Amino acid sequence: MKSMFTPFQLKLDVSTFSELQLIQHVKRYLGDMPGYFHDQQAVATLLTKDNPLIYEYWEIPNDGSSLISISMTRIAAGVVGDEYFMTKGHFHTLEEDGEEIYFVLQGLGYVLLQNRDGERQTLNLSPENLYYVPKGWAHRAVNCGEEDLKFVSLWPNSVGHDYKSIELGGFPQLIVKGTHGPSVIQNGHYHSYQTL
Ligand code: S6P
Ligand code: ZN
């Protein structure tokens, strides 16, 4: 099939992406993420006065004629209770094809990774670094800095997104704000996917 795209060049900043015609712009507010943050009391308190924008992303539409999908994500700086703002995170549905690359443009944080064999990893995110997410690994980005965390993602268009597994089981690691900065703690509510 002939690609819907002609050759293009794109400056990697939010305004370029947000001005692209037909771009898919998704905004995730705290109220869109029930059950994602571990301190549900803090969630309820925040929602009584505010419904902060946690993150947003811009995805270049792809009708299936191009093998590659491209997006830019911006995660705001902030915490819900002691847990830093983060994306929902997902597995790719077609796990045998579901690789992904992150390229960080701005900010500091972590990417949480896990697969269905129970393996897990946490990588520090910082600008001008590229991150490789292998097939079968769920991924969630977390902003631990004082400014926006921005990154570009590239992944195979056909692989789809499985959010349900994360809604049911979470990630084994949480990133929380401690007295000496961010720390990685174990998620007491995590369910291994093999047992779901
Ligand atoms: C898509 C890729 C990103 C995320 C974006 C938001 O495969 O990983 O474009 O969609 O960072 O995260 P989430 O978990 O809400 O899709
Ligand atoms: Zn992905």
Side-chain angles (χ1 to χ4, degrees):
M1 190 198 286
K2 194 172 185 307
S3 172
M4 67 186 284
F5 298 116
T6 53
F8 65 83
Q9 174 181 350
L10 204 56
K11 183 159 173 51
L12 294 179
D13 64 33
V14 162
S15 58
T16 317
F17 269 72
S18 55
E19 285 162 16
L20 282 178
Q21 256 195 326
L22 301 175
I23 197 93
Q24 290 162 349
H25 184 196
V26 177
K27 291 179 168 186
R28 297 277 184 232
Y29 292 88
L30 180 59
D32 301 322
M33 301 176 70
Y36 277 86
F37 290 93
H38 79 121
D39 184 345
Q40 285 299 301
Q41 186 59 50
V43 171
T45 306
L46 256 179
L47 286 177
T48 59
K49 44 186 181 184
D50 194 12
N51 184 17
L53 179 62
I54 307 291
Y55 67 100
E56 58 190 325
Y57 60 96
W58 295 264
E59 194 172 316
I60 297 178
N62 184 338
D63 64 5
S65 61
S66 170
L67 293 178
I68 301 171
S69 281
I70 306 169
S71 75
M72 175 173 295
T73 302
R74 180 188 78 84
I75 308 177
V79 284
V80 177
D82 61 356
E83 194 173 4
Y84 291 98
F85 285 7
M86 63 191 183
T87 60
K88 286 184 169 183
H90 55 263
F91 285 93
H92 289 152
T93 313
L94 292 181
E95 293 189 4
E96 66 277 15
D97 295 330
E99 295 165 293
E100 185 159 329
I101 286 171
Y102 278 10
F103 181 76
V104 176
L105 304 170
Q106 181 193 315
L108 294 172
Y110 288 91
V111 58
L112 307 182
L113 300 152
Q114 61 169 323
N115 67 20
R116 296 194 197 267
D117 296 328
E119 293 175 284
R120 55 193 71 174
Q121 270 205 44
T122 306
L123 300 176
N124 286 91
L125 295 176
S126 59
E128 299 187 17
N129 279 277
L130 182 146
Y131 300 83
Y132 173 66
V133 179
K135 298 170 183 181
W137 286 73
H139 37 287
R140 164 182 286 166
V142 184
N143 181 0
C144 303
E146 305 284 317
E147 57 175 353
D148 289 345
L149 174 67
K150 295 178 193 161
F151 60 92
V152 168
S153 306
L154 303 173
W155 70 98
N157 178 60
S158 57
V159 298
H161 294 86
D162 166 19
Y163 291 97
K164 199 74 199 165
S165 293
I166 304 301
E167 277 168 27
L168 293 171
F171 274 75
Q173 323 93 315
L174 304 176
I175 311 292
V176 296
K177 189 172 190 171
T179 39
H180 304 296
S183 63
V184 183
I185 63 167
Q186 299 311 307
N187 176 5
H189 298 289
Y190 171 67
H191 298 285
S192 161
Y193 298 101
Q194 290 140 329
T195 60
L196 287 175

